[in-house]
Each structure stands twice: as C-alpha cells, then as structure tokens.
Amino acid sequence: MNPQQIKRCLFTIILLLTLPLCVIPQEDTTSCSLLFTGDIMGHDTQIQSAYNDSTGEYHYDTCFFAIRSILRSTDITVGNLEVTLAGKPYKGYPQFSTPDGMALALKKAGVDVLVQANNHALDRGKTGLERTLGVLDLLEMPHAGTYRNKEERDSTYPLLIEKNDIRICLLNYTYGTNGIPVPEPTVVNLIDRGIIKKDLEKARMMNPDKIIVCMHWGTEYEPLPDAQQRSLAEFLFGEGADIIIGSHPHVIQPMERYPARDELKERVVVWSTGNFISNQKTPGTDGGALIYLRLEKTDSICTIAEAGYLLCWVYRPVVNYRQQFFVLPAAEYEHDPLFFPEKSHYQRMREFILESRTHLQRHNTGFSEIIPGVKAE
C-alpha cells in the first residue's frame, strides 16, 4: 500500500469513528397478568363457619389460605362479589348480607378489584347497596357495577386500571336484580344494549389497550351458553370489547379464545366461571375456574399472550362440630388423598376435576388448563 492509499484508509477510519452511531431502536415490551374468580357467595353455613365465639367477630381468612398464593401471583385479580355487605342481620340465600370480614379476607388473600352487578346486588335495597360500596371504599378496593347515584357512575365508569404501562377498561352488567326495582338515585348496571353501546364508546375514548366486560348472564346450572349469551357476546365484540368474562350459571361453561383474523380483532369469551366459594353442593356447583390471562404490549400493540384456567374446589370438612370452607387449587390436591381425612371428600373433588376437564376439553377453544408446577405445552 502506497502512502496515498494509507492516508485514505486512515481518513476513512477517522471519519467512521466520528460519525454518530446508528442505534437500532429496541422494542419496548411489557406485560400484565390477570386472574378472574367465579361467584363469591355467602350462604348461611358460611356465615356460621366464620363466626369466632371468643371475639364475636367473623373471620374468613382461612377460606383462602390454600389459594392465596395463586390470587397474589398476578398483577390484577378480579372477583365477582355476589353478596351485599349490608350489615346485620347477616343472612344467606335468598337475600344475602355477608359480614364485612369476607371483603377484608378477599383483599388480604390477593383480590384487587370486585365487580358487583349481579342479581343479588339489591338484596338489602338501597341501604344495602350503599353500605356495600362504603365498605369497599374503606378497604380501598376498586369496584364496578353498582353506584350511589348517576353522578358517581359518570365520574368513575368505565373503571380504568393501569398496570405496567397497560391500560384496561373494566365494565360490568347484570341481566337483572331478582325482580327488585332499582331505587333512585342508586344505579345497578343492567344489560341494556343502548346503554352498553354508549359505555363502550366512552371506554374506547379512554384509549385503553384492552376492554374487558364482566357479564352476569346465562341460565343457571346449564353447562353450555344459551342463544342470548351468544347474541350479547357478538354485540359486545362488535362495539369494541376484547375480553368477556361471564358469571351467574354457578357451573363452569366453556372458554374460547380466537386470534385476530381478516378484519376481526383477537377475542376471548369465558361463558361462565362457576363458583369460587359457596355452600352449593350439587355436582358442578362445588367449584369453579380461575381464568388466567397475560397481556403483552410491544410498543403500542397489546395482545393476549396467554390464556388458561385453573380449577378450584370448595373443601367443606367438619372441624370441632362446625363445617369449614377452604378453596383448594384442585390440581395441587388431586394426587394427595392423605390430605383428606374423609375419603368421600377426596372422591367428590376428583369427580369435580374429571367432569370439568372432560367438559372443557370437549368444548374449549384456545384455552388449556394451567397446572402449577407443570410446564404448559
């Protein structure tokens, strides 16, 4: 290489070193995990079980000891509160008023948000609805579905939840209130397509990454969605909903997840989550499904990265002459018969697991069971 070539080479090297570096921007990815419970109920036997003879108070903490690590494992856990916190006299079915200790225990166990639009929202009338809201506000638990007045609804609904730079709009509606008229000025979100259309329009204006609608609908004890549920789901998706979580039938109904295709957005519908905690005993009502979703956002695009379910079952042993209630993550106990002093309890849980799995494997689309400690396929 002659001197002139060496000068040119050095000049090129110096020029390259002094130029600004061309940095390829990295995609910014974040995620948010969600969990939805089934119906949270408070029958008479549950109230009696929670009573502490020595203090005269009601404690529900032990009900959730076995499930709380799962409830706490997600960024946002949403529960369906199908009772009022209306104060004394406490009562179960048909007009529920559950001790405040239930809400406190749910919060301590990991439930972050409660939806309340259901057929029992007015079991204790206007005062019961208002007191329920007061208890949740005191516990600083966000909630949706019932309101003291229209002004409160207008200012707080849809409920906007932000976590890990992901914005979620949560909406909630019920088919009715067991024939009890909604007393003015209180508001219970009833299924009215005209109102829902306006609410979803408002939700879209809030620029969320996902819109989730919790629907209290369907036919009790039916294992499959009815025609009205399917019609409402198509309406909700057409108006901008991304995810629908259903409740009310007290049994698990199928779950469906569809990827985006053609001009349709990706969508998830869970027709019914079943029961989370209750004293219902007939086959299928003694448990439910926890619905797990993981949203993933890259730059401005948010997708449903994972969708699955975990079965839970209500274990009701008699301890010291009093029935107790424990929500068990079913898959963690299905191979542990020694945990159950009475063989019949273990057998009933196994029947619930087998029947639920068979039903969901037959009818689910894009939803698989999540078994703790087992890697998903």
Side-chain angles (χ1 to χ4, degrees):
M1 184 179 294
N2 60 42
Q4 191 65 27
Q5 290 175 321
I6 293 174
K7 284 183 180 182
R8 288 178 181 172
C9 185
L10 288 173
F11 178 79
T12 302
I13 293 171
I14 293 170
L15 181 63
L16 289 172
L17 290 174
T18 57
L19 286 173
L21 293 176
C22 182
V23 178
I24 300 174
Q26 297 296 311
E27 293 183 335
D28 185 16
T29 300
T30 186
S31 68
C32 176
S33 55
L34 303 165
L35 197 70
F36 297 85
T37 80
D39 296 340
I40 298 165
M41 309 198 73
H43 292 99
D44 287 323
T45 312
Q46 293 172 256
I47 296 170
Q48 296 160 12
S49 172
Y51 184 69
N52 186 306
D53 295 313
S54 60
T55 65
E57 298 177 344
Y58 294 84
H59 300 278
Y60 291 85
D61 291 7
T62 55
C63 298
F64 310 114
F65 276 175
I67 202 81
R68 64 183 180 181
S69 63
I70 292 174
L71 300 179
R72 293 173 176 177
S73 67
T74 51
D75 294 308
I76 302 168
T77 296
V78 180
N80 178 44
L81 186 66
E82 197 165 0
V83 296
T84 68
L85 307 172
K88 296 179 179 180
Y90 300 126
K91 191 70 178 70
Y93 182 84
Q95 291 184 307
F96 294 96
S97 180
T98 293
D100 302 348
M102 172 68 88
L104 177 60
L106 289 166
K107 179 173 182 176
K108 289 165 66 176
V111 176
D112 303 296
V113 179
L114 289 170
V115 292
Q116 304 154 263
N118 58 68
N119 56 305
H120 290 286
L122 287 175
D123 278 0
R124 295 299 179 90
K126 176 176 178 288
T127 57
L129 183 150
E130 291 176 338
R131 190 181 184 281
T132 302
L133 294 173
V135 172
L136 299 183
D137 288 343
L138 190 63
L139 291 174
E140 298 183 338
M141 291 191 76
H143 48 84
T146 66
Y147 304 89
R148 296 175 180 88
N149 50 58
K150 182 179 181 297
E151 291 72 26
E152 182 178 68
R153 184 186 191 273
D154 289 344
S155 63
T156 62
Y157 189 77
L159 179 63
L160 180 64
I161 305 169
E162 296 188 66
K163 194 75 174 182
N164 303 338
D165 197 36
I166 292 177
R167 293 166 58 89
I168 296 165
C169 270
L170 185 68
L171 298 92
N172 176 216
Y173 303 92
T174 178
Y175 73 92
T177 54
N178 289 344
I180 303 173
V182 181
E184 294 184 354
T186 60
V187 179
V188 176
N189 283 351
L190 299 175
I191 296 174
D192 180 305
R193 295 195 185 206
I195 292 174
I196 294 174
K197 181 181 177 70
K198 293 179 181 178
D199 291 341
L200 284 168
E201 182 179 353
K202 181 179 177 182
R204 295 195 304 272
M205 295 293 290
M206 296 168 75
N207 195 32
D209 293 296
K210 290 295 178 186
I211 297 175
I212 302 175
V213 186
C214 294
M215 297 291 288
H216 207 74
W217 61 1
T219 305
E220 287 186 313
Y221 314 118
E222 286 295 323
L224 295 173
D226 58 31
Q228 187 178 44
Q229 282 171 276
R230 292 194 176 278
S231 173
L232 279 168
E234 285 304 312
F235 165 75
L236 293 170
F237 286 131
E239 295 298 328
D242 300 292
I243 297 163
I244 302 170
I245 306 293
S247 61
H248 176 63
H250 300 301
V251 293
I252 300 172
Q253 292 182 347
M255 309 142 194
E256 302 173 15
R257 174 193 180 194
Y258 298 101
R261 70 183 194 281
D262 300 328
E263 297 182 0
L264 295 177
K265 301 188 300 179
E266 64 174 351
R267 55 175 65 178
V268 159
V269 56
V270 176
W271 297 107
S272 173
T273 51
N275 287 332
F276 180 58
I277 187 166
S278 78
N279 191 39
Q280 292 193 306
K281 304 169 185 176
T282 55
T285 68
D286 50 348
L290 297 173
I291 305 303
Y292 173 81
L293 300 172
R294 187 174 66 85
L295 308 180
E296 191 171 276
K297 183 178 179 181
T298 301
D299 292 337
S300 61
I301 306 299
C302 186
T303 59
I304 303 166
E306 294 181 63
Y309 70 91
L310 300 91
L311 295 174
C312 58
W313 184 74
V314 183
Y315 175 40
R316 300 188 307 271
V318 175
V319 180
N320 295 329
Y321 307 102
R322 184 181 294 182
Q323 190 169 76
Q324 303 295 318
F325 294 80
F326 305 97
V327 182
L328 302 182
E332 291 188 23
Y333 289 84
E334 68 173 314
H335 301 299
D336 189 7
L338 297 180
F339 175 81
F340 303 87
E342 291 188 33
K343 185 177 179 181
S344 61
H345 288 157
Y346 177 66
Q347 184 59 35
R348 283 200 293 272
M349 184 189 71
R350 291 275 294 173
E351 289 171 359
F352 168 78
I353 293 172
L354 178 61
E355 290 171 5
S356 298
R357 281 181 179 156
T358 301
H359 178 56
L360 295 176
Q361 287 170 2
R362 181 178 301 153
H363 296 287
N364 273 12
T365 300
F367 261 88
S368 298
E369 183 179 4
I370 298 171
I371 300 177
V374 177
K375 188 175 180 180
E377 294 294 333

